[in-house]
Amino acid sequence: MLGRALHRLTSHTHCARRRMSSSYNGLSAAQKTHATSFQTTILPVCVDAITFNGDVPEIHDAESSKHIDRAAHVLKSGGMVGLPTETVYGLGAAALNEQAVPHIFAAKGRPNDNPLIVHIASQSWLSELVQPDWPVHAAYRALMDAFWPGPLTLLFPVRADRVPACVTCGQKTVGIRFPSHPVARAIIHRSGTPIAAPSANRSGRPSPTTAAHVMTDLQGRLELIVDGGPCQVGLESTVLDGTTWSRDRVLNILRPGKVSPEAVEACMRSSKLEATVRLYARDYRDAETEAKPSTPGMKYQHYSPSVPVFLLRKAAHDQDASNNAAMMAALPASLKRIGVMTTDGSDLPSALAHRFNRPVASELYTLGPATDPNSRSQRLFAGLRHLDSLAVDAIFVEAFDSADSNTVQWCAKRYSLVQRDKCEMANKRERERDARSLSADFEYRSVRGCERRV
């Protein structure tokens, strides 16, 4: 059974790609042509040249101002722009233009039931997107004060007479974010319209954190990429649904990101507001939500490499070590080259090197100092992309109790990973033998819900 479960690791990516291809084939001929008919240009912008008077950008560099104006013009004309945000680069189109939005799905090969997040340049823009009779409650006010502009997406009841159904995929809510990146804010403000912007990558690929990543995935599929340098955060935004808080005092985090559950809880405490904060898949599940997702990443493979991802942490006790040993022993013999993502000075690379009873090459990508969670977050997606490009057979990531580990867990669970109950079925002698190597130091972190289909 262990062998069969691990064999599925190699098949899930192919299945996901077939689904993406099926979604692309369902597009109109005009949309397909639009998705592959551009001479993509990269335009640099000096981030330091942008300041704000309230929400109004002031750009103190002529070339940067010209490039931002060009990006705004493309968006107003119904085109697409790759633009930097503090989280990852986004693929933007005018959110209220029902002719422009479908081009995003075509360019990414994105399933047409995977909703888009809408980005705004001021809280005052909410009235264009949210049901007029829905009062923004105290918990949302507190969260917006604490994390906007920034890496937090909030779900609101959608104003259906303004927001096209292709943005929400027919759902009754819309995800809205006010980004903090100066370039994103300037482009959105000068375009004069909210911008729908998922990550600027082919669907299922790790999210891009540089303009070069966008060019690698989408060259020829969009007109313009604005280069604002590497993303400062490097993780996707946290998506939070608090639409029912007024009656049940519950805040559901549907997708983990830079803003952690603990940060949300701290915000509620400091605001003297009652709230139960739940992280999806860790604290609860909902079959209906998975079937008809209200946010990206809940139904389809999301920001994952083309190879399995394993999340490892220091073993807390002997049973953890034994469980890990069984999992490691069941890895397919075809595993010849692995990628390792860890912090400076970690003993994970040497532990892995001693674990395998056959030659296995390894490629190391450092996430920076263990004491710097911001560096880990910023380098996470870039590391997944880098190791994936080296054609490794699997990627092992050292876990930490932070937002970046939540995100790795989110992409790792897209595969059928071996769980502890299955590990217990492994041969006892094999467990005892292997517990003397890697398993003495690291445990495999079982992911709840990992049997869920991609």
Side-chain angles (χ1 to χ4, degrees), residues 252-297:
N252 290 321
I253 294 178
L254 302 181
R255 184 181 74 182
K258 181 60 177 177
V259 179
S260 68
E262 293 75 19
V264 174
E265 290 170 343
C267 176
M268 293 298 100
R269 285 195 301 271
S270 65
S271 302
K272 296 181 171 55
L273 295 172
E274 178 187 352
T276 298
V277 179
R278 303 191 302 176
L279 177 60
Y280 191 80
R282 185 193 72 181
D283 301 323
Y284 78 105
R285 301 194 71 88
D286 186 297
E288 183 177 354
T289 300
E290 290 185 13
K292 296 181 179 180
S294 55
T295 187

Side-chain angles (χ1 to χ4, degrees), residues 94-98 101-102 104-105 110-118 128-131 154-176 196-197 289 291-296:
L96 305 184
N97 185 336
E98 62 183 353
V101 171
I104 292 176
F105 292 87
R110 184 184 182 91
N112 59 12
D113 61 348
N114 201 7
L116 303 174
I117 292 171
V118 178
E128 286 289 300
L129 306 169
V130 180
Q131 284 181 8
L154 298 174
L155 262 59
F156 293 85
V158 65
R159 182 173 173 177
D161 64 326
R162 295 288 290 145
V163 181
C166 54
V167 172
T168 63
C169 299
Q171 297 299 305
K172 295 180 180 180
T173 57
V174 59
I176 302 175
T289 300
K292 296 181 179 180
S294 55
T295 187

Side-chain angles (χ1 to χ4, degrees), residues 158-313:
V158 65
R159 182 173 173 177
D161 64 326
R162 295 288 290 145
V163 181
C166 54
V167 172
T168 63
C169 299
Q171 297 299 305
K172 295 180 180 180
T173 57
V174 59
I176 302 175
R177 186 164 86 87
F178 183 3
S180 64
H181 197 291
V183 176
R185 291 180 64 184
I187 292 173
I188 297 168
H189 189 277
R190 287 197 172 180
S191 73
T193 181
I195 300 300
S199 55
N201 55 287
R202 294 288 286 163
S203 283
R205 293 273 294 142
S207 297
T209 56
T210 67
H213 292 162
V214 182
M215 181 65 90
T216 297
D217 274 15
L218 298 179
Q219 183 175 9
R221 294 176 176 269
L222 75 167
E223 182 175 340
L224 188 65
I225 301 170
V226 178
D227 187 353
C231 298
Q232 308 100 309
V233 172
L235 295 180
E236 298 274 11
S237 67
T238 300
V239 179
L240 185 147
D241 181 1
T243 52
T244 64
W245 178 86
S246 294
R247 68 171 184 267
D248 62 16
R249 296 300 189 262
V250 172
L251 300 175
N252 290 321
I253 294 178
L254 302 181
R255 184 181 74 182
K258 181 60 177 177
V259 179
S260 68
E262 293 75 19
V264 174
E265 290 170 343
C267 176
M268 293 298 100
R269 285 195 301 271
S270 65
S271 302
K272 296 181 171 55
L273 295 172
E274 178 187 352
T276 298
V277 179
R278 303 191 302 176
L279 177 60
Y280 191 80
R282 185 193 72 181
D283 301 323
Y284 78 105
R285 301 194 71 88
D286 186 297
E288 183 177 354
T289 300
E290 290 185 13
K292 296 181 179 180
S294 55
T295 187
M298 299 193 71
K299 182 176 181 181
Y300 297 97
Q301 181 189 25
H302 195 57
Y303 46 76
S304 296
S306 60
V307 298
V309 176
F310 294 90
L311 189 60
L312 300 173
R313 66 164 61 248

